[in-house]
Amino acid sequence: MLNPNNQPNPQDESGINYLKSKTEGNAVTVLPVGNFTLQQNGQHLAELYDMQKAGAVSFYDFKKSIQNTNLLKVGLQYVKSFDGIIQSYPQDNHLAGSGMVNEDETTIHLGIKTMPAIAEEVQIARDIQVAAYTGARLHIPTITTAASVQLIKEAKKKYSNISCSVSTNHLFLDTNDLSDFNTHFKLEPPLRDEKQKGALINGLKNGVIDTVTSDHIPLNIEHKAVEFDQASYGSTGLESAYGILQSLLDTEKAIEVLTSGYQVFGLPKPKIKIDETANLSLFIPTEKYTFMKNDVHSSSKNSALLGKKLKGKALGIINNKKTVWNG
């Protein structure tokens, strides 16, 4: 899925059609996500119905939380009529303040402004209640705390309209990686401590967390080669996602969480059968290696995984009658 962090952001039918036509014929099938609000400013709903008709798979103000609770309620009520999905970034901005890293025993010694985990958890608790009230489909992207996992676990016992994801970076990294102030580890949401990371892995294994995202955010070097507090948030993630999952999970589970997005977003899942167009990923699950810059094929090299030891390597894909090799 292509998140709406490009410029201009898609917020109407023409914006979605442009992305689809621009990427048509490539080996990768692009599934666009449209804005939730106009200009992502949190004030007025974008043209949600028209975007869904054009092929948008959900609606999301990328990395911007919906602070207006009534706007979230109205949006959910609106999309329910055409079975749309709204993504709500889990952060209460008032609690988060100007924090850049998680608030824990490691980060309090770094001299960097911190953000408490409760900033995420309060927002998730609110969003669950609003989704329960409307009965519409809500997806909570990139959760990062043990309490968030528990909140969603309890909600799923009562409601069937709530799903969530976790970034592969947050499954593998934690605040111990921040010790040398490497800006590649400045992520949004912030990295949490080892205990929280363990809860995310368990939440993924037991099915509370529905799917994973690479949270791929390529940035030019000038956005990262600066002081930590001046650096932009984000890391590339496409090339390291499979290696992370294969390092933490068995092969069957890694494949399951990488493909579960089809079900979460109501998309037809590719089938391996006669007369079906091939849609295949090629990989070696047992290969161990150190993730280096030559493994990053993006023109941006801002990967938080550089120098990390991984297991499992993607070899290429077959899709849209094209074959592309990794290398």
Side-chain angles (χ1 to χ4, degrees), residues 8-296:
N9 294 319
Q11 56 187 19
D12 53 26
E13 181 180 0
S14 63
I16 298 297
N17 285 334
Y18 171 77
L19 288 174
K20 291 180 68 178
S21 63
K22 194 73 174 176
T23 59
E24 189 176 8
N26 291 327
V28 174
T29 302
V30 171
L31 303 169
V33 176
N35 283 5
F36 175 59
T37 64
L38 294 175
Q39 311 302 328
Q40 296 191 11
N41 62 16
Q43 295 184 22
H44 303 286
L45 294 180
E47 297 181 18
L48 308 183
Y49 177 66
D50 289 345
M51 284 193 287
Q52 176 132 328
K53 284 199 304 179
V57 297
S58 66
F59 312 105
Y60 180 27
D61 287 353
F62 184 70
K63 303 285 186 180
K64 297 180 178 69
S65 57
I66 305 169
Q67 294 298 300
N68 185 330
T69 308
N70 187 59
L71 186 67
L72 175 62
K73 183 202 76 170
V74 170
L76 285 167
Q77 289 174 324
Y78 179 53
V79 302
K80 186 179 179 182
S81 63
F82 52 88
D83 201 29
I85 302 173
I86 290 174
Q87 298 191 51
S88 178
Y89 182 64
Q91 179 175 292
D92 182 301
N93 290 341
H94 299 291
L95 287 169
S98 56
M100 291 175 281
V101 297
N102 183 52
E103 182 182 85
D104 61 42
E105 292 182 4
T106 299
T107 57
I108 59 174
H109 302 293
L110 297 178
I112 303 173
K113 292 181 180 179
T114 60
M115 178 192 306
I118 194 174
E120 173 175 304
E121 296 149 8
V122 165
Q123 192 84 349
I124 288 177
R126 182 207 71 168
D127 289 353
I128 287 171
Q129 291 302 310
V130 178
Y133 175 79
T134 63
R137 297 168 69 188
L138 174 74
H139 181 75
I140 304 170
T142 60
I143 70 168
T144 64
T145 80
S148 297
V149 174
Q150 188 62 32
L151 282 166
I152 292 168
K153 180 180 179 180
E154 294 302 316
K156 285 186 171 186
K157 292 177 182 178
K158 304 174 185 177
Y159 318 115
S160 61
N161 59 321
I162 295 167
S163 61
C164 69
S165 70
V166 63
S167 157
T168 51
N169 290 325
H170 288 81
L171 294 170
F172 201 80
L173 306 169
D174 57 60
T175 51
N176 289 313
D177 292 295
L178 293 167
S179 59
D180 63 354
F181 299 93
N182 187 334
T183 59
H184 286 162
F185 300 112
K186 186 178 181 181
L187 306 179
E188 191 178 35
L191 294 174
R192 306 294 183 181
D193 60 36
E194 286 186 279
K195 182 180 178 181
Q196 310 281 21
K197 180 177 70 175
L200 294 175
I201 295 170
N202 288 334
L204 192 63
K205 287 180 176 179
N206 63 30
V208 175
I209 300 175
D210 300 272
T211 191
V212 295
T213 172
S214 68
D215 206 20
H216 182 72
I217 303 177
L219 295 168
N220 293 330
I221 189 170
E222 59 264 26
H223 293 289
K224 285 294 188 179
V226 292
E227 294 295 323
F228 193 92
D229 61 345
Q230 298 298 316
S232 298
Y233 293 95
S235 167
T236 60
L238 286 176
E239 297 94 343
S240 55
Y242 172 65
I244 289 173
L245 293 172
Q246 189 63 67
S247 299
L248 300 173
L249 311 170
D250 60 54
T251 301
E252 185 175 345
K253 187 65 178 180
I255 293 170
E256 178 188 323
V257 299
L258 279 167
T259 58
S260 56
Y262 287 109
Q263 181 176 351
V264 171
F265 293 96
L267 302 168
K269 194 170 184 178
K271 299 177 181 178
I272 302 175
K273 59 184 293 187
I274 295 173
D275 294 329
E276 288 282 339
T277 302
N279 184 342
L280 303 171
S281 296
L282 313 172
F283 55 88
I284 300 177
T286 55
E287 182 171 346
K288 296 181 180 179
Y289 61 103
T290 300
F291 190 79
M292 305 298 287
K293 275 191 176 181
N294 60 353
D295 294 305
V296 182

